[in-house]
Amino acid sequence: MTRGGAGGGHGGGAGSSVRGGLDGRRIGAHLAFAKGGMLKAAERTRAIGATTVQVFADNPTAWRRRNGLPDELPAFRERLLELDVVPTAIHAAYIVNLAGPEDGTDFWARSIDVLAAELGMGVAYGAAIVNVHAGSHRGQGREAGLRQLGRGIARAIDAADLPAGGGPRLVVENSAGGGDTLGDTVEDLAAILGSAVRAGAEADRLAFCLDTAHLWGAGVDLRDAAALDGLLQRFDDLVGPERLALIHLNDSRSTLGSRSDRHQHVGAGAIGAAGLGAVVRHPRLADVPMILETPGMDEGYDAINMERVRLLLAGQPLPELPPEAFELRRSR
């Protein structure tokens, strides 16, 4: 595993607080509300120079949803607009699994309810994206899981009662392919789209997120220009260019094709500066929002990783990170 390129220091520096250096791209980070509330999170986007943002609108590990909207929400939305931080993405709760069987429990039905609530929160937040994991078929087989996932997507969108022609798109995230998870190939993503449409979902309501650490775990060598080009071309051919709504820009602690999902700081993992640099500079992705989900975001590494993205865009080497950076866990 490489720990960055030549140079010294943390890589944060003054540049990480300066808006710019992103060449017009929409790049940001997943920010938490826990420390200081929503307005502090909005100001943090300015401090790190983010031009887009991802948040949790509710508890990501609990079934119970909040009864009302946060008091700070109007001011949060207004401040993001003032800062030109768009789009806002909401990451749905981790517990949602629409691909699992109806096995006598209410897990599948509760997943639909939670995702519908997340879509409703997306409307309230003015979010363009509600991102959800593809989920696991839990032993029922890929084809059955794809059918179940499509049905769940259609039901969640219907239950959310989104405004006609408006509201967020439901954006399904690719997986690294571990266990019984779906969505580790472009072909799976196309099958998810087809299954949801056959179940009654409006195609325009659906899009997809590609997570670079997940792609790596699934066996896509992002250091290889031909592999990256081929992946994006297959996506455009099978799913449609208009349905690539989001990139999760993460390095990986895992080996290529390991089916493992372990995020690392930008350019400091197995994908490295060459692989992630190719992603951020790829002309096909210039207009696709990118979100960091890297370790230590609440310890200031949101700014450090944003600065590392700027260096990659400029074709500059990345500084070494200190040893303690590699002891941090993913903080979202």
Side-chain angles (χ1 to χ4, degrees), residues 198-234:
R198 286 192 296 274
E202 296 179 40
D204 289 347
R205 294 282 189 192
L206 296 173
F208 294 89
C209 167
L210 294 179
D211 183 301
T212 53
H214 299 178
L215 289 170
W216 178 262
V220 180
D221 190 346
L222 298 172
R223 302 167 302 183
D224 181 348
L228 177 57
D229 288 343
L231 168 81
L232 296 174
Q233 188 62 58
R234 286 200 314 282

Side-chain angles (χ1 to χ4, degrees), residues 117-189:
E118 299 278 20
L119 287 165
M121 292 296 280
V123 175
Y125 274 69
I129 291 166
V130 171
N131 180 73
V132 67
H133 292 168
S136 166
H137 63 70
R138 292 191 172 183
Q140 65 178 332
R142 177 180 173 275
E143 294 303 323
L146 288 169
R147 286 194 300 271
Q148 190 78 332
L149 177 54
R151 291 176 60 225
I153 287 171
R155 291 195 185 189
I157 291 173
D158 185 61
D161 194 24
L162 298 171
R169 286 200 289 179
L170 181 58
V171 174
V172 180
E173 183 175 341
N174 69 311
S175 76
D180 294 334
T181 55
L182 302 174
D184 58 318
T185 65
V186 172
E187 290 74 16
D188 249 18
L189 301 183

Side-chain angles (χ1 to χ4, degrees), residues 22 27-28 48-50 292 302-310:
L22 298 180
I27 302 177
I48 67 176
L292 296 167
D302 51 355
I304 290 169
N305 279 291
M306 282 293 297
E307 180 64 8
R308 291 170 78 82
V309 172
R310 292 185 183 88

